Amino acid sequence: MSTSGGFTEQERTAMKERAAELEKEKTRGRGNKKAAEELDVLAKIEGMDPTDRALAERIHAIVTTTAPDLAPKLWYGQPAYALKGKVVCFFRSGHDDKERYSTFGFTPNANLDDGGFWPSSYAVSSVDAQAEKTIATLVARAVG
């Protein structure tokens, strides 16, 4: 939030994008919905800053390979992956958010509970072999 107590420009933009996404979901036919939503995600990724695009493409490949039951969709204007319509995990562009790094996170719909303390979001500046393994393991656990 801004210091004046209102929403920041990024927050207002994200809310408008989410409202537009919900409106678009209402008008799509059932048969095309999944394919159309994935095309929306791929178009969003394609339009990202080159550094974030590379991260988002890699994460998209890991998530869709690890958990093919997760359906790609836009969520607050960013790539997300849903199970039975509920978002489980998502990518946030650091460039779009005007932050120094991007993030990959999980919603409460993910099955990641581990006692009383667990991470729900990770900073992402590169996806090396170790990060790829960690993402795949968390995604598999989130939908398991």
Side-chain angles (χ1 to χ4, degrees), residues 41-78:
V41 168
L42 295 174
K44 174 62 180 181
I45 291 171
E46 182 63 31
M48 287 182 178
D49 173 77
T51 303
D52 284 346
R53 182 180 335 126
L55 295 172
E57 287 172 343
R58 192 68 207 116
I59 288 172
H60 179 78
I62 294 165
V63 171
T64 56
T65 300
T66 302
D69 288 343
L70 288 180
K73 66 184 286 173
L74 289 177
W75 190 55
Y76 295 97
Q78 298 290 315

